Amino acid sequence: MIGSKRVRFQPVAEGASVTQLELFFDLVLVFAFTMVTDLAAEETSAKNMVRAFLVLAVMWWLWIAYSWLGNVVRADEGFARVAMFTAMGGAFLAALAIPEAFHDLPGGWFGPLVFAIAYLVVRLVHVVMFWLASAEDPQLRNQVLRWAFGSITLGTTLLVVAAMTEGTVQICLWIAAIAGDYLWTLLAGTDWRMNSATHFAERYGLIIIVALGESIVSIGIGVKNLPISWPIAVGALLGLAISGLLWWAYFDVAALSIEHELKRSDGAQQIKIGRGSYTFWHFPMIVGIIGLSLGLKKVLYYVGDESHHTLKDALYGIPLFSLYGGVVLYLIALIGAKHYATGSITAPRVVTVVLLLALIPVACALPALASLTVLTAVLGALIVWETIKLAQPRDEIRHGAHD
């Protein structure tokens, strides 16, 4: 145990797995992702897409803070358990306030300030926990102090100020808060601790599953008030197939390659991989999945709502760009995360990104269901190609001996 008898912490052991309490904590993020998708779907304008992106960036930063903390002290032991539940409460209130993050709705509390204060509470709990956990580790404590000074000042204080403004000024303050927090994290040093590479990699793999699960939920929400029909059934299965193919693209080889490199590294290099491949490169993956969720939601509404659309109607504008662009962004981020850790790039994925970008103008002219079919076919071809043509290196990564 580290710390005093009153405040007990249990360090995370090498090779430890994610705790059940951390999985419970992630349920708040499931709800937050759904709220972000709903916010984006409410008004498919460029301005609203920016707002949804900014909210997602803040919620992601909230989550990653506890991914690092949970790798130093066990989340389900001693005082850490109380802190995790406190953070869950703040995160849940922030998620509830997402529809009012930029403008207050009539009645009740002032929504933008509720969001900002709830977020501030979660971040302060995190800093206090890291401070206590680093009591016997001067290097880590200095790192926490350096990081907290800029992060709290830039990241959270500006959001509280932004809550009292509106319009362009408000959005600019949000951007400054997020950019400042992210940049300060890069500049604040690499004296963090990673007690278990296994736990860390598993933690981020699980949040990808959480996000992919939200994309499946979006399919159901898109047709929740519509009678089941063959277009809905086909569209839903195609959407499920896309989510499954994105799961395959991450977990089959890429995630293992990054994890193996994380385990082989140590010291500052290990922290850099954790920060670069996971904390930073996983965020555009999440953005891509949420974009996909928005696109799937709109497609299912197009093919299922016969009173407003026909099967010949094409998906266009932001919903189409979200559908294809979300998958493109996900693949680019996956390529980037693997390259950052291993230095290698999987060429078929680069080709797939280029092909999907080239197909967007074509998809604009196709019925929505056809556009979804084309996207599924391209992703399916990528996975089949990698499975067959890269069978030997794939087998070595999945089943070979690793340090």
Side-chain angles (χ1 to χ4, degrees):
M1 291 289 183
I2 57 178
S4 66
K5 291 184 177 181
R6 282 180 139 187
V7 183
R8 289 177 175 268
F9 297 105
Q10 181 175 322
V12 172
E14 184 178 353
S17 297
V18 175
T19 65
Q20 296 297 320
L21 182 53
E22 288 172 295
L23 295 177
F24 190 41
F25 181 89
D26 288 354
L27 293 179
V28 176
L29 268 295
V30 175
F31 176 62
F33 290 160
T34 301
M35 295 294 282
V36 171
T37 303
D38 289 346
L39 176 64
E42 182 181 326
E43 178 190 338
T44 52
S45 64
K47 184 177 181 179
N48 199 48
M49 294 305 106
V50 171
R51 287 174 172 171
F53 170 79
L54 293 175
V55 171
L56 183 59
V58 167
M59 297 306 295
W60 171 254
W61 212 241
L62 177 154
W63 181 85
I64 68 99
Y66 287 85
S67 72
W68 285 88
L69 177 63
N71 199 260
V72 175
V73 295
R74 282 188 61 94
D76 59 349
E77 294 289 344
F79 184 69
R81 178 184 294 190
V82 178
M84 285 293 288
F85 278 112
T86 303
M88 280 183 67
F92 192 55
L93 285 178
L96 284 171
I98 284 176
E100 299 183 78
F102 289 91
H103 58 85
D104 184 45
L105 297 177
W109 291 343
F110 186 66
L113 194 57
V114 171
F115 180 90
I117 291 177
Y119 177 68
L120 175 61
V121 168
V122 178
R123 293 295 301 276
L124 288 176
V125 170
H126 170 259
V127 170
V128 170
M129 282 295 296
F130 247 127
W131 169 264
L132 294 173
S134 62
E136 299 175 7
D137 188 341
Q139 180 177 316
L140 178 58
R141 173 153 288 188
N142 288 334
Q143 174 66 71
V144 171
L145 285 174
R146 285 196 307 272
W147 175 77
F149 173 76
S151 183
I152 297 298
T153 302
L154 295 171
T156 57
T157 305
L158 283 178
L159 280 183
V160 174
V161 175
M164 310 309 294
T165 64
E166 58 184 18
T168 303
V169 173
Q170 185 183 51
I171 290 179
C172 288
L173 285 171
W174 270 70
I175 293 173
I178 294 167
D181 210 345
Y182 280 42
L183 181 60
W184 186 260
T185 298
L186 281 174
L187 300 175
T190 56
D191 290 336
W192 297 102
R193 294 287 182 259
M194 186 175 294
N195 291 356
S196 172
T198 299
H199 172 278
F200 200 80
E202 183 183 359
R203 195 82 178 88
Y204 281 79
L206 289 171
I207 202 63
I208 292 295
I209 292 179
V210 164
L212 288 172
E214 198 285 325
S215 71
I216 296 173
V217 170
S218 293
I219 297 172
I221 291 177
V223 293
K224 64 180 180 179
N225 295 321
L226 301 175
I228 188 70
S229 62
W230 76 262
I232 289 179
V234 172
L237 291 176
L238 288 173
L240 179 62
I242 290 173
S243 295
L245 290 167
L246 293 185
W247 176 93
W248 190 304
Y250 181 90
F251 287 99
D252 186 55
V253 170
L256 293 175
S257 299
I258 300 170
E259 182 180 354
H260 294 158
E261 197 62 36
L262 185 70
K263 289 179 177 179
R264 281 193 287 264
S265 304
D266 54 22
Q269 179 60 23
Q270 188 177 57
I271 298 301
K272 288 179 180 178
I273 293 175
R275 188 180 63 188
S277 292
Y278 289 94
T279 294
F280 284 104
W281 272 115
H282 272 60
F283 175 56
M285 289 185 216
I286 299 297
V287 176
I289 294 172
I290 299 302
L292 170 66
S293 299
L294 173 62
L296 290 175
K297 191 173 184 178
K298 293 295 184 179
V299 168
L300 267 294
Y301 180 74
Y302 266 51
V303 302
D305 185 17
E306 297 178 353
S307 61
H308 294 88
H309 299 281
T310 71
L311 291 179
K312 295 181 180 180
D313 288 348
L315 193 69
Y316 60 90
I318 288 176
L320 179 68
F321 290 127
S322 295
L323 182 67
Y324 274 68
V327 172
V328 166
L329 183 58
Y330 178 90
L331 291 176
I332 290 174
L334 198 47
I335 293 168
K338 183 180 177 183
H339 178 262
Y340 190 93
T342 67
S344 64
I345 294 178
T346 308
R349 300 195 172 191
V350 178
V351 173
T352 302
V353 166
V354 174
L355 178 59
L356 287 175
L357 289 173
L359 284 172
I360 290 177
V362 177
C364 288
L366 295 175
L369 196 58
S371 297
L372 189 62
T373 303
V374 170
L375 179 58
T376 308
V378 172
L379 283 176
L382 168 66
I383 297 304
V384 170
W385 175 273
E386 289 185 347
T387 303
I388 296 175
K389 295 296 183 179
L390 304 177
Q392 183 176 347
R394 174 178 177 269
D395 185 65
E396 291 175 357
I397 293 172
R398 289 181 57 80
H399 306 113
H402 301 282
D403 295 335

